[in-house]
Coordinates of all heavy atoms in Angstrom, one line a residue:
M8 N 12.9 6.5 4.3 CA 13.0 6.9 5.7 C 14.4 6.5 6.2 O 14.8 5.4 6.0 CB 11.9 6.2 6.5 CG 11.7 6.8 7.8 SD 10.4 6.0 8.7 CE 9.0 6.9 8.1
E9 N 15.1 7.4 6.8 CA 16.4 7.1 7.3 C 16.4 7.0 8.8 O 16.0 7.9 9.5 CB 17.4 8.3 6.9 CG 17.6 8.5 5.5 CD 18.7 7.6 5.0 OE1 19.6 7.3 5.7 OE2 18.6 7.2 3.8
Y10 N 16.8 5.8 9.3 CA 16.9 5.6 10.7 C 17.8 4.4 10.9 O 18.1 3.6 10.0 CB 15.6 5.4 11.5 CG 14.7 4.5 10.9 CD1 14.7 3.1 11.1 CD2 13.7 4.9 10.0 CE1 13.9 2.2 10.6 CE2 12.8 4.0 9.4 CZ 12.9 2.6 9.7 OH 12.0 1.7 9.1
S11 N 18.3 4.2 12.1 CA 19.2 3.1 12.4 C 18.4 2.0 13.1 O 17.5 2.3 13.9 CB 20.4 3.5 13.2 OG 20.0 4.1 14.4
Y12 N 18.8 0.8 12.9 CA 18.1 -0.4 13.5 C 18.8 -0.7 14.8 O 20.0 -0.6 14.9 CB 18.2 -1.6 12.6 CG 17.4 -1.4 11.3 CD1 18.0 -0.9 10.1 CD2 16.1 -1.7 11.2 CE1 17.3 -0.8 9.0 CE2 15.3 -1.6 10.1 CZ 15.9 -1.1 8.9 OH 15.2 -1.0 7.8
P13 N 18.0 -1.1 15.8 CA 18.6 -1.5 17.1 C 19.4 -2.8 16.9 O 19.0 -3.7 16.2 CB 17.4 -1.7 18.0 CG 16.3 -2.0 17.1 CD 16.6 -1.3 15.8
F14 N 20.6 -2.9 17.6 CA 21.3 -4.2 17.6 C 22.2 -4.2 18.8 O 22.4 -3.1 19.5 CB 22.1 -4.3 16.3 CG 23.3 -3.4 16.1 CD1 24.5 -3.7 16.5 CD2 23.0 -2.1 15.5 CE1 25.6 -2.8 16.4 CE2 24.1 -1.2 15.3 CZ 25.4 -1.5 15.8
S15 N 22.8 -5.3 19.1 CA 23.8 -5.5 20.2 C 25.2 -5.6 19.6 O 25.4 -6.3 18.6 CB 23.4 -6.7 21.0 OG 24.4 -7.0 21.9
I16 N 26.1 -5.0 20.3 CA 27.5 -5.2 19.9 C 28.0 -6.6 20.1 O 29.0 -7.0 19.5 CB 28.5 -4.2 20.6 CG1 28.4 -4.4 22.1 CG2 28.1 -2.8 20.2 CD1 29.4 -3.6 22.9
D17 N 27.3 -7.4 20.8 CA 27.6 -8.8 21.1 C 27.2 -9.7 19.9 O 27.6 -10.9 19.9 CB 27.0 -9.3 22.4 CG 27.4 -8.6 23.6 OD1 28.6 -8.1 23.6 OD2 26.7 -8.4 24.5
W18 N 26.4 -9.2 19.0 CA 25.9 -10.1 17.9 C 27.0 -10.1 16.8 O 27.7 -9.2 16.6 CB 24.6 -9.5 17.3 CG 23.5 -9.5 18.2 CD1 23.3 -10.2 19.4 CD2 22.3 -8.7 18.0 NE1 22.1 -9.9 19.9 CE2 21.4 -9.0 19.1 CE3 21.8 -7.8 17.1 CZ2 20.2 -8.4 19.3 CZ3 20.6 -7.2 17.2 CH2 19.8 -7.5 18.3
S19 N 27.0 -11.2 16.1 CA 27.9 -11.4 14.9 C 27.3 -10.5 13.7 O 26.1 -10.1 13.8 CB 27.9 -12.8 14.5 OG 26.7 -13.3 13.9
T20 N 28.1 -10.3 12.7 CA 27.6 -9.6 11.5 C 26.4 -10.3 10.9 O 25.4 -9.7 10.6 CB 28.7 -9.5 10.5 OG1 29.8 -8.8 11.1 CG2 28.2 -8.8 9.2
E21 N 26.4 -11.6 10.9 CA 25.2 -12.4 10.3 C 24.0 -12.2 11.2 O 22.9 -12.0 10.7 CB 25.6 -13.9 10.3 CG 24.5 -14.7 9.7 CD 24.8 -16.2 9.8 OE1 25.9 -16.6 10.0 OE2 23.8 -17.0 9.5
E22 N 24.2 -12.1 12.5 CA 23.0 -11.9 13.4 C 22.4 -10.5 13.2 O 21.2 -10.3 13.2 CB 23.4 -12.2 14.8 CG 23.6 -13.6 15.1 CD 24.3 -13.9 16.5 OE1 25.0 -13.0 17.0 OE2 24.0 -15.0 17.1
I23 N 23.3 -9.5 13.1 CA 22.9 -8.2 12.8 C 22.1 -8.1 11.5 O 21.0 -7.5 11.5 CB 24.0 -7.2 12.8 CG1 24.6 -7.1 14.2 CG2 23.6 -5.8 12.3 CD1 26.0 -6.3 14.3
V24 N 22.6 -8.7 10.5 CA 21.9 -8.7 9.2 C 20.5 -9.4 9.3 O 19.5 -8.9 8.8 CB 22.7 -9.4 8.1 CG1 21.9 -9.7 6.9 CG2 24.0 -8.6 7.8
D25 N 20.4 -10.5 10.1 CA 19.2 -11.2 10.2 C 18.2 -10.4 11.0 O 17.0 -10.4 10.7 CB 19.4 -12.6 10.9 CG 20.1 -13.5 9.9 OD1 20.1 -13.3 8.7 OD2 20.6 -14.6 10.4
V26 N 18.6 -9.7 12.1 CA 17.7 -8.8 12.8 C 17.2 -7.7 12.0 O 16.0 -7.3 12.0 CB 18.4 -8.3 14.1 CG1 17.6 -7.2 14.8 CG2 18.6 -9.4 15.1
I27 N 18.1 -7.1 11.1 CA 17.6 -6.0 10.2 C 16.6 -6.6 9.2 O 15.6 -5.9 9.0 CB 18.8 -5.4 9.5 CG1 19.7 -4.6 10.4 CG2 18.4 -4.6 8.3 CD1 21.0 -4.1 9.9
K28 N 16.8 -7.8 8.7 CA 15.8 -8.4 7.8 C 14.5 -8.6 8.6 O 13.4 -8.5 8.0 CB 16.3 -9.8 7.3 CG 17.4 -9.7 6.3 CD 17.9 -11.0 5.8 CE 19.0 -10.9 4.8 NZ 19.6 -12.2 4.5
F29 N 14.5 -9.0 9.8 CA 13.3 -9.1 10.6 C 12.5 -7.7 10.7 O 11.3 -7.7 10.4 CB 13.6 -9.6 12.0 CG 12.4 -9.4 13.0 CD1 11.3 -10.3 12.9 CD2 12.4 -8.4 13.9 CE1 10.2 -10.1 13.7 CE2 11.3 -8.3 14.8 CZ 10.2 -9.1 14.7
F30 N 13.3 -6.7 11.0 CA 12.6 -5.4 11.1 C 12.2 -4.9 9.7 O 11.2 -4.2 9.6 CB 13.6 -4.4 11.8 CG 13.6 -4.6 13.2 CD1 14.8 -4.9 13.9 CD2 12.4 -4.5 14.0 CE1 14.8 -5.1 15.3 CE2 12.4 -4.7 15.4 CZ 13.6 -5.0 16.0
E31 N 12.9 -5.3 8.6 CA 12.4 -4.9 7.3 C 11.1 -5.7 7.0 O 10.2 -5.1 6.3 CB 13.4 -5.3 6.2 CG 14.6 -4.4 6.2 CD 15.8 -4.9 5.3 OE1 15.8 -6.0 4.9 OE2 16.6 -4.0 5.0
G32 N 10.9 -6.8 7.6 CA 9.6 -7.6 7.5 C 8.5 -6.8 8.2 O 7.4 -6.7 7.7
I33 N 8.8 -6.3 9.4 CA 7.9 -5.4 10.1 C 7.4 -4.2 9.3 O 6.3 -3.9 9.1 CB 8.5 -4.9 11.5 CG1 8.9 -6.1 12.4 CG2 7.5 -3.9 12.1 CD1 7.7 -6.9 13.0
E34 N 8.4 -3.6 8.7 CA 8.1 -2.4 7.8 C 7.2 -2.9 6.6 O 6.2 -2.2 6.3 CB 9.4 -1.8 7.2 CG 10.3 -1.2 8.3 CD 11.7 -1.0 7.8 OE1 12.1 -1.4 6.7 OE2 12.5 -0.5 8.6
Q35 N 7.5 -4.0 6.0 CA 6.8 -4.5 4.9 C 5.3 -4.8 5.3 O 4.4 -4.5 4.5 CB 7.4 -5.7 4.3 CG 6.8 -6.2 3.0 CD 7.6 -7.3 2.4 OE1 8.7 -7.6 2.8 NE2 6.9 -8.0 1.4
A36 N 5.1 -5.3 6.5 CA 3.8 -5.6 7.0 C 2.9 -4.3 7.1 O 1.7 -4.4 6.9 CB 3.8 -6.3 8.4
Y37 N 3.5 -3.2 7.4 CA 2.8 -2.0 7.4 C 2.6 -1.3 6.0 O 1.6 -0.8 5.8 CB 3.6 -0.9 8.3 CG 3.3 -1.1 9.8 CD1 4.1 -1.9 10.6 CD2 2.2 -0.5 10.4 CE1 3.8 -2.1 11.9 CE2 1.9 -0.6 11.7 CZ 2.8 -1.4 12.5 OH 2.5 -1.6 13.8
E38 N 3.6 -1.5 5.2 CA 3.6 -0.8 3.9 C 2.8 -1.5 2.8 O 2.1 -0.8 2.1 CB 5.1 -0.5 3.5 CG 5.7 0.5 4.4 CD 7.2 0.6 4.2 OE1 7.8 0.0 3.3 OE2 7.9 1.2 5.0
K39 N 3.0 -2.8 2.7 CA 2.3 -3.5 1.6 C 1.9 -4.9 1.9 O 1.1 -5.5 1.2 CB 3.2 -3.5 0.3 CG 4.6 -4.2 0.5 CD 5.4 -4.0 -0.8 CE 6.8 -4.6 -0.5 NZ 7.7 -4.3 -1.6
G40 N 2.3 -5.4 3.1 CA 1.9 -6.7 3.5 C 3.0 -7.7 3.2 O 3.9 -7.5 2.3
I41 N 3.0 -8.8 4.0 CA 4.1 -9.8 3.9 C 3.4 -11.2 4.1 O 2.5 -11.3 5.0 CB 5.2 -9.5 4.8 CG1 6.4 -10.5 4.7 CG2 4.8 -9.5 6.3 CD1 7.7 -10.2 5.4
K42 N 3.9 -12.2 3.4 CA 3.3 -13.5 3.6 C 3.6 -14.0 5.1 O 4.7 -13.8 5.6 CB 3.9 -14.5 2.6 CG 3.3 -14.4 1.3 CD 3.9 -15.6 0.4 CE 3.2 -15.5 -1.0 NZ 3.7 -16.6 -1.8
R43 N 2.6 -14.6 5.7 CA 2.7 -15.1 7.1 C 4.0 -16.0 7.3 O 4.7 -15.8 8.2 CB 1.5 -15.8 7.5 CG 1.5 -16.2 8.9 CD 1.5 -17.7 9.1 NE 1.5 -18.0 10.5 CZ 2.1 -19.0 11.0 NH1 2.7 -19.9 10.2 NH2 2.0 -19.3 12.3
E44 N 4.2 -16.9 6.3 CA 5.3 -17.9 6.5 C 6.6 -17.2 6.4 O 7.6 -17.6 7.0 CB 5.1 -19.1 5.6 CG 4.8 -18.8 4.2 CD 3.3 -18.7 3.9 OE1 2.5 -18.3 4.7 OE2 3.0 -19.0 2.7
V45 N 6.7 -16.2 5.6 CA 8.0 -15.4 5.4 C 8.2 -14.6 6.7 O 9.4 -14.6 7.3 CB 7.9 -14.4 4.2 CG1 9.1 -13.5 4.2 CG2 7.8 -15.2 2.9
M46 N 7.2 -14.0 7.2 CA 7.4 -13.2 8.5 C 7.7 -14.1 9.7 O 8.5 -13.8 10.5 CB 6.1 -12.4 8.8 CG 6.2 -11.4 9.9 SD 7.4 -10.1 9.5 CE 8.4 -10.0 11.0
M47 N 7.0 -15.3 9.7 CA 7.3 -16.3 10.8 C 8.7 -16.7 10.7 O 9.4 -16.9 11.8 CB 6.3 -17.4 10.7 CG 6.5 -18.4 11.8 SD 6.3 -17.7 13.5 CE 4.6 -17.8 13.7
A48 N 9.3 -17.0 9.5 CA 10.7 -17.4 9.4 C 11.6 -16.3 10.0 O 12.6 -16.6 10.7 CB 11.0 -17.8 8.0
K49 N 11.3 -15.1 9.6 CA 12.1 -14.0 10.1 C 12.0 -13.8 11.6 O 13.0 -13.6 12.3 CB 11.7 -12.6 9.5 CG 11.9 -12.6 8.0 CD 11.4 -11.3 7.4 CE 11.5 -11.2 5.9 NZ 12.9 -11.0 5.4
Y50 N 10.8 -14.0 12.2 CA 10.6 -13.9 13.6 C 11.3 -15.1 14.3 O 12.0 -14.9 15.4 CB 9.1 -13.9 14.0 CG 8.9 -13.8 15.5 CD1 9.3 -12.7 16.2 CD2 8.3 -14.8 16.2 CE1 9.1 -12.5 17.5 CE2 8.1 -14.7 17.5 CZ 8.5 -13.6 18.2 OH 8.3 -13.5 19.6
R51 N 11.2 -16.3 13.8 CA 11.9 -17.4 14.4 C 13.4 -17.2 14.5 O 14.1 -17.5 15.5 CB 11.6 -18.7 13.7 CG 10.3 -19.3 14.0 CD 10.1 -20.6 13.4 NE 8.7 -21.1 13.6 CZ 7.8 -21.5 12.7 NH1 8.2 -21.4 11.4 NH2 6.7 -21.9 13.0
R52 N 14.0 -16.7 13.4 CA 15.4 -16.4 13.4 C 15.7 -15.2 14.4 O 16.7 -15.3 15.2 CB 15.9 -15.9 12.0 CG 17.3 -15.5 11.9 CD 18.3 -16.7 12.3 NE 19.7 -16.2 12.2 CZ 20.6 -16.5 13.1 NH1 20.4 -17.3 14.1 NH2 21.8 -16.0 13.0
F53 N 14.9 -14.2 14.5 CA 15.1 -13.2 15.5 C 15.1 -13.7 16.9 O 15.9 -13.4 17.7 CB 13.9 -12.1 15.3 CG 13.9 -11.1 16.3 CD1 14.7 -10.0 16.2 CD2 13.0 -11.1 17.4 CE1 14.7 -9.0 17.2 CE2 13.0 -10.1 18.4 CZ 13.9 -9.1 18.3
K54 N 14.2 -14.7 17.2 CA 14.1 -15.3 18.5 C 15.3 -16.1 18.8 O 15.7 -16.3 20.0 CB 12.8 -16.1 18.7 CG 11.6 -15.2 18.8 CD 11.7 -14.2 19.9 CE 11.7 -14.7 21.3 NZ 11.8 -13.7 22.3
E55 N 16.0 -16.7 17.8 CA 17.2 -17.4 18.0 C 18.3 -16.5 18.5 O 19.1 -16.8 19.3 CB 17.7 -18.1 16.8 CG 16.9 -19.3 16.3 CD 17.3 -19.8 15.0 OE1 18.3 -19.3 14.4 OE2 16.6 -20.7 14.5
I56 N 18.3 -15.2 18.0 CA 19.3 -14.2 18.3 C 18.9 -13.5 19.6 O 19.8 -13.2 20.5 CB 19.4 -13.2 17.2 CG1 19.8 -13.9 15.9 CG2 20.4 -12.1 17.5 CD1 19.6 -13.1 14.6
V57 N 17.6 -13.3 19.8 CA 17.1 -12.6 21.0 C 16.1 -13.5 21.7 O 14.9 -13.3 21.6 CB 16.4 -11.2 20.6 CG1 16.0 -10.4 21.8 CG2 17.3 -10.4 19.7
P58 N 16.5 -14.5 22.5 CA 15.6 -15.4 23.1 C 14.9 -14.8 24.3 O 13.8 -15.2 24.7 CB 16.5 -16.5 23.6 CG 17.8 -16.0 23.7 CD 17.9 -14.9 22.7
S59 N 15.4 -13.8 24.9 CA 14.8 -13.1 26.1 C 13.7 -12.3 25.8 O 13.8 -11.4 24.9 CB 15.9 -12.3 26.8 OG 15.3 -11.4 27.7
Q60 N 12.5 -12.5 26.5 CA 11.3 -11.6 26.3 C 11.6 -10.2 26.6 O 11.2 -9.3 26.0 CB 10.2 -12.2 27.1 CG 8.8 -11.6 26.8 CD 8.2 -12.1 25.5 OE1 8.6 -13.2 25.1 NE2 7.4 -11.3 24.9
A61 N 12.4 -10.0 27.7 CA 12.7 -8.6 28.2 C 13.5 -7.9 27.1 O 13.3 -6.7 26.8 CB 13.4 -8.6 29.5
E62 N 14.5 -8.6 26.6 CA 15.4 -8.0 25.6 C 14.6 -7.7 24.3 O 14.8 -6.7 23.6 CB 16.6 -8.9 25.3 CG 17.6 -8.2 24.3 CD 18.8 -9.1 24.1 OE1 18.9 -10.3 24.5 OE2 19.7 -8.6 23.3
E63 N 13.7 -8.6 23.9 CA 12.8 -8.4 22.8 C 12.0 -7.1 22.9 O 12.0 -6.3 22.0 CB 11.9 -9.6 22.6 CG 10.9 -9.4 21.5 CD 9.9 -10.6 21.3 OE1 10.4 -11.8 21.2 OE2 8.7 -10.4 21.4
K64 N 11.4 -7.0 24.1 CA 10.6 -5.8 24.3 C 11.4 -4.5 24.2 O 11.0 -3.5 23.6 CB 9.9 -5.8 25.7 CG 8.8 -6.8 25.8 CD 8.1 -6.8 27.1 CE 7.0 -7.8 27.2 NZ 6.3 -7.8 28.5
T65 N 12.6 -4.5 24.7 CA 13.5 -3.4 24.7 C 13.9 -3.1 23.2 O 13.8 -1.9 22.8 CB 14.8 -3.7 25.5 OG1 14.5 -3.9 26.8 CG2 15.8 -2.5 25.4
I66 N 14.2 -4.1 22.5 CA 14.6 -3.9 21.1 C 13.4 -3.4 20.3 O 13.5 -2.5 19.4 CB 15.2 -5.2 20.5 CG1 16.6 -5.4 21.1 CG2 15.4 -5.1 19.0 CD1 17.2 -6.7 20.8
F67 N 12.2 -4.0 20.5 CA 11.0 -3.5 19.8 C 10.8 -2.0 20.1 O 10.4 -1.2 19.2 CB 9.8 -4.3 20.3 CG 9.7 -5.7 19.6 CD1 10.6 -6.2 18.8 CD2 8.5 -6.4 19.8 CE1 10.5 -7.4 18.2 CE2 8.4 -7.7 19.2 CZ 9.4 -8.2 18.4
R68 N 10.9 -1.6 21.4 CA 10.7 -0.2 21.8 C 11.7 0.7 21.1 O 11.4 1.8 20.6 CB 10.8 -0.1 23.3 CG 10.4 1.3 23.8 CD 10.3 1.3 25.4 NE 11.4 0.7 26.1 CZ 11.3 -0.5 26.7 NH1 10.2 -1.2 26.7 NH2 12.4 -1.0 27.3
E69 N 13.0 0.3 21.0 CA 14.0 1.1 20.3 C 13.7 1.2 18.9 O 13.8 2.3 18.3 CB 15.4 0.4 20.5 CG 16.0 0.5 21.9 CD 17.2 -0.3 22.0 OE1 17.8 -0.8 21.0 OE2 17.7 -0.4 23.2
F70 N 13.2 0.2 18.2 CA 12.8 0.2 16.8 C 11.6 1.1 16.6 O 11.6 1.9 15.7 CB 12.5 -1.2 16.3 CG 12.1 -1.2 14.9 CD1 13.0 -0.9 13.8 CD2 10.8 -1.6 14.5 CE1 12.6 -0.9 12.5 CE2 10.4 -1.6 13.2 CZ 11.3 -1.3 12.2
E71 N 10.7 1.1 17.5 CA 9.5 1.9 17.4 C 9.9 3.4 17.5 O 9.4 4.2 16.8 CB 8.4 1.6 18.4 CG 7.2 2.4 18.4 CD 6.1 2.1 19.4 OE1 6.3 1.1 20.2 OE2 5.1 2.8 19.5
E72 N 10.7 3.7 18.5 CA 11.2 5.1 18.7 C 11.9 5.6 17.4 O 11.8 6.8 17.1 CB 12.1 5.2 19.9 CG 11.3 5.0 21.2 CD 12.2 4.9 22.4 OE1 13.4 5.0 22.3 OE2 11.6 4.7 23.5
A73 N 12.7 4.8 16.8 CA 13.5 5.2 15.6 C 12.6 5.3 14.4 O 12.8 6.2 13.6 CB 14.6 4.2 15.4
S74 N 11.7 4.3 14.2 CA 11.0 4.2 12.9 C 9.5 4.6 13.0 O 8.9 4.9 11.9 CB 11.1 2.7 12.5 OG 10.3 1.9 13.3
G75 N 8.9 4.5 14.1 CA 7.5 4.7 14.2 C 6.6 3.4 14.0 O 5.4 3.4 14.2
Y76 N 7.3 2.3 13.6 CA 6.6 1.1 13.4 C 6.5 0.3 14.7 O 7.6 0.1 15.4 CB 7.3 0.2 12.4 CG 7.3 0.8 11.0 CD1 8.4 1.2 10.4 CD2 6.1 0.8 10.3 CE1 8.4 1.7 9.1 CE2 6.0 1.3 9.0 CZ 7.2 1.8 8.4 OH 7.2 2.3 7.1
V77 N 5.4 -0.2 15.1 CA 5.2 -1.0 16.3 C 5.3 -2.5 15.9 O 4.5 -3.0 15.1 CB 3.8 -0.7 17.0 CG1 3.7 -1.5 18.3 CG2 3.7 0.8 17.2
S78 N 6.2 -3.2 16.5 CA 6.5 -4.6 16.1 C 5.4 -5.6 16.6 O 5.0 -6.6 15.9 CB 7.8 -5.1 16.6 OG 8.8 -4.2 16.0
Y79 N 4.9 -5.3 17.8 CA 4.0 -6.3 18.5 C 2.8 -6.7 17.6 O 2.5 -7.9 17.5 CB 3.6 -5.8 19.9 CG 2.7 -6.7 20.6 CD1 3.1 -7.9 21.1 CD2 1.3 -6.5 20.6 CE1 2.3 -8.8 21.7 CE2 0.4 -7.4 21.2 CZ 0.9 -8.5 21.8 OH 0.0 -9.4 22.3
P80 N 2.1 -5.8 17.0 CA 0.9 -6.2 16.3 C 1.2 -7.1 15.1 O 0.5 -8.0 14.8 CB 0.3 -4.9 15.7 CG 0.8 -3.8 16.6 CD 2.2 -4.3 17.1
V81 N 2.4 -6.9 14.5 CA 2.8 -7.7 13.4 C 3.1 -9.2 13.9 O 2.6 -10.2 13.3 CB 4.0 -7.2 12.7 CG1 4.5 -8.1 11.6 CG2 3.7 -5.8 12.1
V82 N 3.8 -9.2 15.0 CA 4.2 -10.5 15.6 C 2.9 -11.3 16.0 O 2.7 -12.5 15.8 CB 5.2 -10.4 16.7 CG1 5.4 -11.7 17.5 CG2 6.5 -9.8 16.2
K83 N 2.0 -10.5 16.7 CA 0.8 -11.1 17.2 C 0.0 -11.7 16.0 O -0.5 -12.8 16.0 CB 0.0 -10.1 17.9 CG -1.3 -10.6 18.5 CD -2.0 -9.4 19.3 CE -3.1 -9.9 20.2 NZ -4.3 -10.3 19.5
Q84 N -0.2 -10.9 14.9 CA -1.0 -11.4 13.8 C -0.3 -12.6 13.1 O -0.9 -13.5 12.7 CB -1.1 -10.2 12.8 CG -2.3 -10.3 11.9 CD -2.4 -9.1 10.9 OE1 -2.2 -9.3 9.7 NE2 -2.6 -7.9 11.4
T85 N 1.0 -12.5 13.1 CA 1.8 -13.6 12.5 C 1.6 -14.9 13.3 O 1.4 -16.0 12.7 CB 3.3 -13.3 12.5 OG1 3.5 -12.1 11.7 CG2 4.1 -14.4 11.9
K86 N 1.5 -14.9 14.6 CA 1.3 -16.0 15.4 C -0.1 -16.6 15.3 O -0.3 -17.8 15.5 CB 1.7 -15.7 16.9 CG 3.1 -15.5 17.1 CD 3.4 -15.2 18.6 CE 4.8 -15.1 19.0 NZ 5.0 -14.7 20.4
E87 N -1.1 -15.7 15.1 CA -2.5 -16.1 15.2 C -3.1 -16.5 13.8 O -4.2 -16.9 13.8 CB -3.3 -14.9 15.8 CG -2.9 -14.6 17.2 CD -3.7 -13.4 17.8 OE1 -4.3 -12.7 17.0 OE2 -3.6 -13.3 19.0
T88 N -2.4 -16.3 12.7 CA -3.0 -16.6 11.4 C -2.4 -17.8 10.8 O -1.3 -18.3 11.3 CB -2.8 -15.4 10.5 OG1 -1.5 -15.1 10.3 CG2 -3.6 -14.2 10.9
A89 N -3.0 -18.4 9.8 CA -2.5 -19.6 9.1 C -1.6 -19.2 8.0 O -1.6 -18.1 7.5 CB -3.8 -20.4 8.6
D90 N -0.8 -20.2 7.6 CA 0.0 -20.1 6.4 C -0.8 -19.6 5.2 O -2.0 -20.1 5.1 CB 0.8 -21.4 6.1 CG 2.0 -21.6 7.0 OD1 2.4 -20.7 7.7 OD2 2.6 -22.7 6.9
G91 N -0.2 -18.9 4.3 CA -0.9 -18.4 3.2 C -1.6 -17.0 3.4 O -2.0 -16.4 2.4
T92 N -1.7 -16.6 4.6 CA -2.3 -15.3 5.0 C -1.2 -14.2 4.7 O -0.1 -14.4 4.9 CB -2.7 -15.3 6.5 OG1 -3.5 -16.4 6.7 CG2 -3.3 -13.9 6.8
I93 N -1.7 -13.1 4.2 CA -0.9 -11.9 4.1 C -1.0 -11.1 5.4 O -2.1 -10.7 5.8 CB -1.3 -11.0 2.9 CG1 -1.1 -11.8 1.6 CG2 -0.5 -9.7 2.8 CD1 0.3 -12.2 1.2
I94 N 0.1 -10.8 6.0 CA 0.1 -10.0 7.2 C 0.2 -8.6 6.8 O 1.1 -8.1 6.1 CB 1.3 -10.3 8.1 CG1 1.4 -11.9 8.5 CG2 1.4 -9.5 9.4 CD1 0.2 -12.4 9.2
K95 N -0.8 -7.8 7.2 CA -0.9 -6.4 6.9 C -1.5 -5.7 8.1 O -2.6 -6.0 8.6 CB -1.8 -6.2 5.7 CG -2.0 -4.7 5.3 CD -0.9 -4.3 4.4 CE -1.2 -2.9 3.8 NZ -0.5 -1.8 4.4
V96 N -0.7 -4.7 8.6 CA -1.1 -4.0 9.8 C -1.5 -2.5 9.3 O -0.7 -1.9 8.6 CB 0.0 -3.9 10.8 CG1 -0.4 -3.1 12.0 CG2 0.3 -5.4 11.3
I97 N -2.6 -2.1 9.7 CA -3.0 -0.7 9.5 C -2.6 0.1 10.7 O -3.1 -0.1 11.8 CB -4.6 -0.6 9.3 CG1 -5.1 -1.6 8.2 CG2 -5.0 0.8 8.9 CD1 -4.5 -1.5 6.9
P98 N -1.8 1.1 10.4 CA -1.4 2.0 11.6 C -2.5 2.7 12.1 O -3.4 3.2 11.4 CB -0.3 2.9 11.0 CG -0.3 2.7 9.5 CD -1.2 1.5 9.2
K99 N -2.6 2.8 13.5 CA -3.6 3.6 14.1 C -3.4 5.1 13.9 O -2.2 5.5 13.8 CB -3.6 3.3 15.6 CG -4.1 1.9 15.9 CD -4.1 1.7 17.4 CE -4.6 0.2 17.6 NZ -4.6 -0.1 19.0
Q100 N -4.4 5.8 13.7 CA -4.3 7.3 13.6 C -3.8 7.9 14.9 O -4.3 7.6 15.9 CB -5.7 7.9 13.2 CG -6.2 7.4 11.9 CD -5.4 7.9 10.7 OE1 -4.8 9.0 10.8 NE2 -5.3 7.1 9.7
R101 N -2.8 8.8 14.7 CA -2.3 9.4 15.9 C -3.2 10.6 16.3 O -3.7 11.3 15.4 CB -0.9 10.0 15.6 CG 0.0 8.8 15.4 CD 1.4 9.2 15.0 NE 2.2 8.1 14.6 CZ 3.3 7.8 15.1 NH1 3.9 8.5 15.9 NH2 4.0 6.7 14.6
R102 N -3.4 10.8 17.5 CA -4.3 11.9 18.0 C -3.5 13.1 18.2 O -2.4 13.2 18.5 CB -4.9 11.4 19.3 CG -5.8 10.2 19.2 CD -6.4 9.8 20.5 NE -7.1 8.6 20.2 CZ -7.7 7.9 21.2 NH1 -7.7 8.4 22.4 NH2 -8.4 6.9 20.9

């Protein structure tokens, strides 16, 4: 699938790479699953770069529009489960 990831021109190259790795984790949670602790590490790094809740929502929306993947269910599941769990999100059927 070809699409571009959302990012800010104010971020460093390292920050852009880390945000892309976070979104690759989101993709993995939908496609085959990802270990909870791996996804949590990616999310923590993402929050260091994007501490604002409003900016997070905007970036999540941009990613969803580009990719079709909804970030919130992955983050919610990651926060609510214990280490050792595989985070796997089943996409809802579109009507």
Side-chain angles (χ1 to χ4, degrees):
M8 194 178 274
E9 294 275 331
Y10 50 85
S11 59
Y12 294 94
F14 70 92
S15 169
I16 59 172
D17 297 328
W18 297 342
S19 71
T20 301
E21 180 183 350
E22 289 171 331
I23 292 169
V24 169
D25 289 342
V26 168
I27 289 171
K28 287 179 182 176
F29 167 74
F30 284 119
E31 287 172 343
I33 299 291
E34 294 163 358
Q35 190 176 343
Y37 277 92
E38 294 168 6
K39 57 185 174 187
I41 185 170
K42 285 186 175 182
R43 184 248 181 212
E44 46 274 27
V45 172
M46 191 65 224
M47 182 57 84
K49 291 176 186 291
Y50 181 64
R51 284 188 181 124
R52 177 62 181 139
F53 174 80
K54 288 306 291 178
E55 289 174 5
I56 300 163
V57 184
S59 159
Q60 190 74 25
E62 187 179 3
E63 175 182 304
K64 287 180 180 182
T65 300
I66 291 171
F67 281 6
R68 188 172 44 254
E69 289 173 6
F70 178 68
E71 181 180 356
E72 289 170 3
S74 70
Y76 293 112
V77 183
S78 301
Y79 178 75
V81 177
V82 171
K83 184 176 190 291
Q84 206 178 112
T85 300
K86 288 178 176 180
E87 293 176 349
T88 57
D90 280 352
T92 305
I93 299 296
I94 305 301
K95 177 84 170 105
V96 176
I97 308 299
K99 293 183 180 177
Q100 294 295 328
R101 296 178 188 230
R102 296 180 185 177

